[in-house]
Amino acid sequence: RVIDSFNQQQGNQQQASQQQAQEKVAAQLNEIDRINHLPSLLPMIIDNADIIELEQEQLDALIAWRTENREAVIADMNEIVSLRVAIKQAAVLPNTTPEELVAFQDEIFRLQRNVLEYKLSCRDLVFDTFDQNNWEGFQMVLADEGYAIEMPDMILTAGAQ
């Protein structure tokens, strides 16, 4: 009985530990934007194309960029999350060398740079695509979404005319 009780407790503890690990990964996925510190605005732009008053050609360009780049961006972001979990686990193992931890971190930095470059590419497309009317509509969408961003006059007068 004692052994069965002990085994039962061990099994329950393992299940609880696995559930906690899964919850941590889920929390990391929910905060994925912290990976690169740039907001993911493209979904918001596409979802609010009518408020932003995007022309079909503008919307098509944005959707084409998303279609071309989405899988690679998501794959890199998921890999960053996995590596962050792995480096935390490896850091407490006595047989993990400092060089291995540095290699983990270097790979995370490389992937973060990739994600940043994708987002900057998207940002450039938005800047090249939007006209003043789009910027004004986008500012309203940002305000509705809780972003306290005031567009400078130079942005409101920039973009495609």
Side-chain angles (χ1 to χ4, degrees):
R1 285 184 176 180
V2 173
I3 293 174
D4 290 339
S5 176
F6 176 77
N7 287 338
Q8 176 83 22
Q9 285 178 330
Q10 290 291 74
N12 291 344
Q13 287 176 345
Q14 285 177 340
Q15 281 182 326
S17 178
Q18 288 173 347
Q19 185 175 355
Q20 286 176 341
Q22 290 172 347
E23 288 171 0
K24 284 181 183 179
V25 170
Q28 288 172 333
L29 288 172
N30 286 336
E31 297 188 15
I32 200 113
D33 271 343
R34 294 181 185 207
I35 287 173
N36 60 59
H37 308 291
L38 287 180
S40 294
L41 299 177
L42 188 58
M44 190 184 318
I45 291 170
I46 291 172
D47 290 345
N48 293 284
D50 55 336
I51 296 169
I52 299 170
E53 297 183 24
L54 291 176
E55 299 291 332
Q56 190 60 48
E57 182 179 308
Q58 292 172 299
L59 184 58
D60 290 346
L62 295 169
I63 290 172
W65 185 96
R66 180 182 65 183
T67 300
E68 182 179 326
N69 295 286
R70 183 180 193 163
E71 286 184 27
V73 172
I74 291 172
D76 283 351
M77 290 174 16
N78 287 337
E79 184 66 15
I80 291 167
V81 170
S82 295
L83 285 171
R84 283 183 173 176
V85 170
I87 195 172
K88 286 179 182 182
Q89 292 171 343
V92 298
L93 297 175
N95 60 340
T96 303
T97 67
E99 294 80 14
E100 290 171 320
L101 294 173
V102 168
F104 267 116
Q105 190 61 57
D106 285 344
E107 182 63 9
I108 291 169
F109 287 152
R110 185 188 70 75
L111 291 165
Q112 286 176 322
R113 177 70 182 237
N114 285 353
V115 172
L116 175 64
E117 288 174 1
Y118 282 119
K119 287 196 167 199
L120 291 174
S121 167
C122 180
R123 177 180 179 263
D124 288 345
L125 177 61
V126 169
F127 276 103
D128 290 343
T129 303
F130 276 24
D131 60 24
Q132 182 170 351
N133 202 35
N134 300 138
W135 284 115
E136 291 169 357
F138 187 47
Q139 189 172 13
M140 289 189 309
V141 169
L142 288 172
D144 286 346
E145 294 291 328
Y147 286 86
I149 299 172
E150 188 170 324
M151 299 288 183
D153 288 339
M154 62 187 237
I155 290 178
L156 292 174
T157 58
Q161 296 292 330

